[in-house]
Amino acid sequence: MTQKVRVAIAGLGFGSEFVPIYQAHPDAELVAVCQRTEAALNETADRFGVAGRYTDFAAMLEDPDIDAVHINTPIPDHANHTISALRAGKHVACTVPMATTLDECRSIVAAVRESGKKYMMMETVVYSREFLHVKDLVENGTLGRIQFLRGAHHQEMAGWPGYWEGLPPMHYATHAVSPVLSLAGALAESVVCLGSGRISPELTAKYGSPFAVESALITVRNSPVGAEIARSLFETAREYVESFTVFGEHATFEWEQTQGAGHVLHVGEIPKPVEIPDFAHRLPPQIAPFTTRGVYDDENEHLSFIQGSGHGGSHPHLAHEFVRSIVEDRAPAIDEVTAANWTSVGICAHESAMNGGTRVAIPDYTS
């Protein structure tokens, strides 16, 4: 491509974090934003000087000046909005998870292939500075052979939008699943999951899921390495944490278990504190500052900064990968097959938990 990628953002809660990134990206132009509530739409559009404004997602897709849509709408809308955008001839980036059912995952994969457009799931953890550092440790041989992987995501979702209430923990598992499968370098093959504890009847009634915690064991395709995932969303006392641990032949990386405690690299049997560098130097200079700051001031921070330190500086890396995949006409790093596999791990894990821990095969989306 010789012209800039013309991007629209749908959903302006978390989505607002990406507005100035696309505006500053040398290969992108932010041409429109979409939000159902007109007052909120105008507040954000006025703040950032965005001319294109839509309260209706379908109407936005009719705009011929939009090349790509970044979807940050509620989880139940992800599949429908993604498929509609692809069929309208738009490239799609979508926040996690890809979908809420296996059939939706299959439909998105089919829509990507039918449209010929790019799809990327915007999973933050695999572009966090922690992940990028550990990936370097794997590739340069510091860890040696990977022997086991563990991912966890514990978060109290009280106070978040109502559609979260009672959500099965594993239906929002990609923050825990993605780093372990990425470091294993393979897709998941099957999963066994245990549901533990109980949440209140009022929360259970929303989705029919009774569990406070779900923990799963994943078999990895064509690999001797296994992985363990743990998730909780409601009525489980724990400081917020998205984390992963990599057990290696020579060294093991362990994510800090309380914020500020520090990450640890166990070299042999000796634990050593490890400093995590920033990776802004891998980005165009125009968007590099966004690895360490968001768009909100200290009095109006988004919850991703209050609870999660801005997802480890991942936001500009995600936008850059999506834009460059379009410019270079290649599959993005988290394409439709990868996204469907990572999302399906959680869906299948919850199915396993609801059936007493039976093994569930992950669908093959490659064919």
Side-chain angles (χ1 to χ4, degrees):
M1 291 183 66
T2 56
Q3 67 179 29
K4 291 187 176 184
V5 179
R6 298 168 298 184
V7 180
I9 293 178
L12 297 177
F14 175 48
S16 293
E17 291 294 334
F18 291 87
V19 172
I21 298 173
Y22 286 117
Q23 287 180 321
H25 197 288
D27 299 316
E29 178 185 0
L30 185 73
V31 298
V33 289
C34 180
Q35 173 74 24
R36 286 177 296 184
T37 306
E38 188 169 9
L41 169 68
N42 288 329
E43 179 183 358
T44 299
D46 288 346
R47 180 190 303 173
F48 296 109
V50 182
R53 306 179 185 194
Y54 294 91
T55 56
D56 182 75
F57 186 82
M60 182 186 68
L61 296 182
E62 296 176 2
D63 188 339
D65 291 331
I66 295 172
D67 300 315
V69 178
H70 184 162
I71 297 169
N72 297 277
T73 54
I75 289 173
D77 297 327
H78 286 183
N80 178 54
H81 284 166
T82 294
I83 293 168
S84 296
L86 289 167
R87 289 176 176 169
K90 315 298 185 186
H91 303 287
V92 173
C94 185
T95 191
V96 300
M98 178 191 229
T100 60
T101 69
L102 298 181
D103 283 343
E104 288 177 344
C105 290
R106 294 186 184 99
S107 295
I108 291 172
V109 171
V112 172
R113 292 169 181 168
E114 291 165 4
S115 69
K117 298 299 178 180
K118 312 303 179 191
Y119 170 90
M120 179 172 172
M121 187 173 74
M122 304 295 263
E123 171 50 60
T124 56
V125 175
V126 293
Y127 282 95
S128 67
R129 59 183 66 90
E130 292 86 356
F131 179 86
L132 295 175
H133 179 64
V134 175
K135 185 178 180 183
D136 284 351
L137 296 182
V138 171
E139 292 177 350
N140 66 26
T142 297
L143 301 188
R145 287 177 298 170
I146 294 177
Q147 305 286 31
F148 183 64
L149 295 148
R150 175 179 290 145
H153 179 188
H154 299 289
Q155 182 173 8
E156 175 54 65
M157 299 301 291
W160 286 67
Y163 64 83
W164 286 97
E165 295 175 355
L167 187 75
M170 282 293 175
H171 276 200
Y172 192 72
T174 62
H175 291 332
V177 171
S178 63
V180 301
L181 290 180
S182 291
L183 292 170
L187 300 175
E189 183 174 67
S190 67
V191 63
V192 172
C193 185
L194 173 69
S196 179
R198 293 294 183 268
I199 56 176
S200 65
E202 293 78 15
L203 287 175
T204 298
K206 298 293 183 72
Y207 291 92
S209 173
F211 303 122
V213 179
E214 292 181 321
S215 57
L217 292 173
I218 300 170
T219 57
V220 181
R221 190 179 301 176
N222 300 319
S223 173
V225 178
E228 176 188 62
I229 303 297
R231 285 289 287 112
S232 64
L233 284 169
F234 299 98
E235 299 178 0
T236 302
R238 178 63 169 84
E239 181 187 39
Y240 171 90
V241 64
E242 294 173 17
S243 68
F244 62 87
T245 299
V246 188
F247 292 82
E249 174 190 10
H250 302 308
T252 289
F253 172 83
E254 186 173 34
W255 190 289
E256 63 183 11
Q257 291 306 292
T258 57
Q259 191 167 347
H263 306 297
V264 177
L265 188 68
H266 300 262
V267 181
E269 297 182 4
I270 302 172
K272 301 178 180 179
V274 57
E275 292 293 325
I276 305 295
D278 193 43
F279 288 83
H281 63 279
R282 296 186 180 180
L283 295 166
Q286 297 93 328
I287 64 170
F290 293 103
T291 63
T292 54
R293 63 178 173 85
V295 306
Y296 293 88
D297 57 33
D298 291 340
E299 285 73 40
N300 298 282
E301 287 185 309
H302 186 265
L303 280 171
S304 69
F305 277 80
I306 295 170
Q307 291 191 343
S309 301
H311 294 131
S314 62
H315 302 165
H317 290 281
L318 287 164
H320 181 59
E321 171 62 17
F322 178 53
V323 169
R324 290 306 301 174
S325 74
I326 298 169
V327 171
E328 297 169 14
D329 191 23
R330 59 169 174 78
I334 312 172
D335 63 8
E336 70 279 4
V337 170
T338 303
N341 184 265
W342 292 355
T343 299
S344 296
V345 169
I347 296 170
C348 292
H350 179 62
E351 178 186 341
S352 171
M354 294 295 287
N355 287 281
T358 57
R359 182 172 299 278
V360 179
I362 310 299
D364 183 357
Y365 297 99
T366 59
S367 59

